[in-house]
């Protein structure tokens, strides 16, 4: 599926207009991946949560095309999940056995799967492919802004001048991470703020910071912390929102789950922020993707379990907090993996992969057909 087809088809799963007022998807020239920017709709309080899977997720072991199992057995026998261990979604399609939480969301119509998402002329570099995904460019062009940065700049054209203000007192977007992703880069400045990590969030909220020591380095660190707090105009509103709400669901003890906990708490706490971004790394599984004695176990299985459990807990929390109908999430990764596995029980950089959309407002089900796998797949072939 190329980028234009993806934009068209994902409109069935989630309309960006349901999150950002006045925005709809449609095919436009290649310098605007977002689509037409249509003004005039009413305000809403809907939220989009991006989940970045860093490293290139193996889509064929995530959403498994059971109708292609024979060909997959020829191409990737040393990493393929045994057919009787796959969690069936339909007669033709299953999901990794570590993702029971997402299967439950699928069963309760809270999960949409968009098959075969990628772009023509795949660039297999992590850095360049991430740039393409985040900027919304074609593979043969370079853009210095992100597709969400351009969107937010359209909605708030004077940012950062005179912000925060009474109309928008809160951050336009929040990313949990040390830097702001290219996806939020506007024409002049990033349109989002970053919370360095989960620890820094709780330090900010509780006004407690790790000891710095009574030496020159400690003194400088205390100074930097003071400057950082004073420079961030949004600290107070974040602290207020956090104090207004508490998580109700039980989350697993993983960093991704902690990121989702923060997002749920800030949404329930009343922030007007429209877009959040969380991330999970480790998907560059060239070696030891699976346990050589049990392909249902290994690094990839652990990552998918972490992802599934975090999303499931987040969705439970949203429901218990009474805000589930306002929130839709989506996963993205810079590329998929090769059809054919390698000799190190791993997979190399590939092309397209499925995307997952979750929430009470998605059109649940599978959009697009399963990838077609040849019985004669070589190590150069891609989806």
């Amino acid at each position: 599926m190329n980028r234009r087809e993806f934009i068209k088809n994902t409109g069935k799963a989630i309309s960006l207009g349901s999150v950002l007022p006045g925005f709809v998807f449609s095919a436009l020239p290649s310098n605007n991946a977002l689509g037409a920017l249509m003004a005039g709709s009413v305000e809403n309080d809907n939220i989009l949560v991006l989940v970045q899977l860093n490293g290139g997720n193996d889509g064929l072991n995530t959403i498994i095309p059971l109708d292609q199992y024979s060909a997959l057995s020829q191409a990737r026998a040393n990493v393929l999940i045994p057919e009787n261990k796959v969690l069936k979604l339909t007669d033709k399609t299953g999901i990794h056995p570590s993702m029971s939480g997402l299967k439950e969301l699928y069963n309760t119509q809270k999960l949409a799967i968009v098959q075969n998402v990628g772009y023509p002329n795949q660039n297999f570099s992590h850095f360049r492919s991430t740039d393409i995904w985040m900027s919304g460019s074609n593979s043969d062009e370079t853009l210095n802004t992100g597709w969400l940065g351009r969107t937010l700049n359209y909605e708030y054209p004077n940012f950062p001048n005179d912000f925060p203000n009474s109309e928008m007192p809160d951050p336009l977007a929040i990313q949990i991470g040390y830097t702001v992703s290219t996806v939020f880069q506007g024409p002049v400045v990033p349109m989002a703020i970053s919370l360095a990590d989960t620890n820094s969030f709780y330090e900010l909220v509780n006004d407690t910071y790790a000891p710095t020591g009574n030496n020159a380095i400690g003194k400088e660190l205390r100074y930097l912390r003071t400057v950082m707090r004073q420079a961030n105009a949004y600290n107070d509103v974040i602290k207020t929102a956090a104090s207004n709400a508490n998580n109700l669901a039980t989350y697993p003890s993983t960093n991704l789950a902690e990121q989702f906990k923060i997002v749920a708490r800030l949404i329930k706490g009343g922030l007007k922020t429209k877009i959040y971004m969380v991330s999970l790394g480790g998907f560059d599984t060239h070696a030891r993707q699976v346990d050589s004695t049990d392909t249902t176990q290994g690094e990839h299985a652990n990552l998918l379990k972490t992802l599934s459990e975090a999303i499931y807990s987040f969705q439970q929390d949203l429901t218990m907090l009474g805000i589930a109908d306002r929130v839709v999430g989506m996963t993205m990764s810079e590329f998929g993996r090769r059809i054919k596995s390698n000799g190190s029980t791993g997979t190399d950089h590939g092309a397209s992969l499925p995307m997952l959309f979750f929430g009470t407002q998605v059109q649940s089900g599978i959009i697009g057909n399963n990838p077609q796998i040849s019985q004669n797949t070589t190590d150069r072939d891609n989806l």
Side-chain angles (χ1 to χ4, degrees):
M1 181 184 294
N2 66 32
R3 184 167 55 84
R4 294 178 190 275
E5 290 171 337
F6 166 65
I7 289 171
K8 176 178 68 177
N9 287 331
T10 49
K12 302 173 184 176
I14 172 179
S15 168
L16 193 58
S18 69
V19 177
L20 294 163
F23 291 78
V24 296
F25 285 119
S26 68
L28 279 185
S30 60
N31 65 345
N32 192 335
L34 174 65
L37 304 181
M38 307 293 289
S41 70
V42 298
E43 291 292 332
N44 62 59
D45 58 358
N46 297 337
I47 307 294
L48 174 65
V49 181
L50 303 178
V51 187
Q52 185 178 7
L53 309 180
N54 291 305
N57 182 38
D58 182 10
L60 287 173
N61 265 21
T62 303
I63 303 299
I64 301 160
L66 294 174
D67 58 349
Q68 305 294 307
Y69 200 86
S70 174
L72 287 173
S73 298
Q74 297 293 320
R76 49 167 53 207
N78 64 337
V79 301
L80 185 60
I81 306 301
E83 190 170 8
N84 64 350
K85 297 293 183 66
V86 176
L87 304 179
K88 290 185 68 173
L89 302 177
T90 71
D91 289 340
K92 295 182 177 181
T93 309
I95 194 169
H96 193 285
S98 293
M99 306 184 82
S100 57
L102 288 189
K103 184 181 186 300
E104 176 64 21
L105 292 187
Y106 184 89
N107 292 343
T108 54
Q109 299 186 317
K110 300 182 184 72
L111 180 70
I113 299 164
V114 182
Q115 292 278 36
N116 308 313
V117 182
Y119 56 87
N121 302 314
Q122 170 66 241
N123 184 300
F124 298 107
S125 160
H126 289 291
F127 306 104
R128 176 60 186 143
S129 194
T130 298
D131 283 344
I132 291 167
W133 270 85
M134 297 303 180
S135 67
S137 71
N138 282 337
S139 59
D140 60 354
E141 67 178 342
T142 300
L143 299 179
N144 295 322
T145 58
W147 61 274
L148 281 172
R150 295 192 296 274
T151 302
L152 290 168
N153 181 70
Y154 181 88
E155 187 75 8
Y156 304 100
N158 295 320
F159 186 86
N161 294 331
D162 302 322
F163 282 82
N165 55 46
S166 57
E167 179 184 353
M168 188 53 182
D170 303 332
L172 309 186
I174 293 176
Q175 177 174 348
I176 300 179
Y178 286 94
T179 60
V180 176
S181 167
T182 303
V183 74
F184 294 120
Q185 180 60 47
V188 179
V189 297
M191 307 296 288
I193 68 166
S194 65
L195 297 175
D197 55 23
T198 55
N199 289 333
S200 68
F201 169 78
Y202 291 110
E203 287 177 347
L204 169 65
V205 169
N206 299 321
D207 280 323
T208 57
Y209 295 87
T212 58
N214 294 318
N215 52 35
I217 294 176
K219 179 181 179 181
E220 295 302 323
L221 181 55
R222 289 192 295 274
Y223 172 75
L224 288 173
R225 284 175 173 174
T226 300
V227 171
M228 181 178 65
R229 292 196 297 270
Q230 292 174 342
N232 190 341
Y234 294 112
N235 276 357
D236 288 342
V237 295
I238 291 173
K239 291 172 65 175
T240 298
S243 68
N244 287 340
N246 289 298
N247 302 101
L248 298 181
T250 299
Y251 286 78
S253 298
T254 64
N255 182 264
L256 181 63
E258 286 293 329
Q259 294 177 60
F260 274 116
K261 282 179 69 175
I262 291 171
V263 173
R265 187 172 172 182
L266 292 179
I267 295 172
K268 178 61 178 178
L271 278 191
K272 293 183 178 181
T273 301
K274 304 292 288 180
I275 305 169
Y276 294 83
M277 185 171 182
V278 300
S279 63
L280 176 64
F283 287 90
D284 195 20
T285 51
H286 289 282
R288 297 185 301 277
Q289 176 173 318
V290 301
D291 188 319
S292 60
T293 62
D294 182 357
T295 59
T296 67
Q297 303 299 314
E299 292 182 9
H300 193 236
N302 293 338
L303 289 167
L304 294 183
K305 181 180 180 181
T306 296
L307 176 67
S308 177
E309 289 182 345
I311 291 176
Y312 182 79
S313 298
F314 178 63
Q315 196 63 48
Q316 294 295 104
D317 207 10
L318 296 178
T319 299
M320 296 170 74
L321 291 168
I323 53 177
D325 287 349
R326 296 174 47 204
V327 184
V328 164
M330 60 174 270
T331 66
M332 57 184 183
S333 192
E334 62 261 41
F335 43 61
R337 316 298 293 185
R338 285 282 205 276
I339 302 169
K340 193 172 180 64
S341 58
N342 60 35
S344 301
T345 58
T347 50
D348 299 324
H349 298 182
S352 65
L353 76 164
M355 290 179 68
L356 309 178
F357 291 78
F358 55 91
T360 61
Q361 298 302 306
V362 301
Q363 176 186 303
S364 183
I366 300 172
I367 297 173
N369 298 320
N370 283 340
Q372 300 299 299
I373 311 297
S374 169
Q375 292 283 349
N376 302 310
T377 296
T378 73
D379 58 8
R380 303 294 297 172
D381 291 328
N382 267 298
L383 299 177

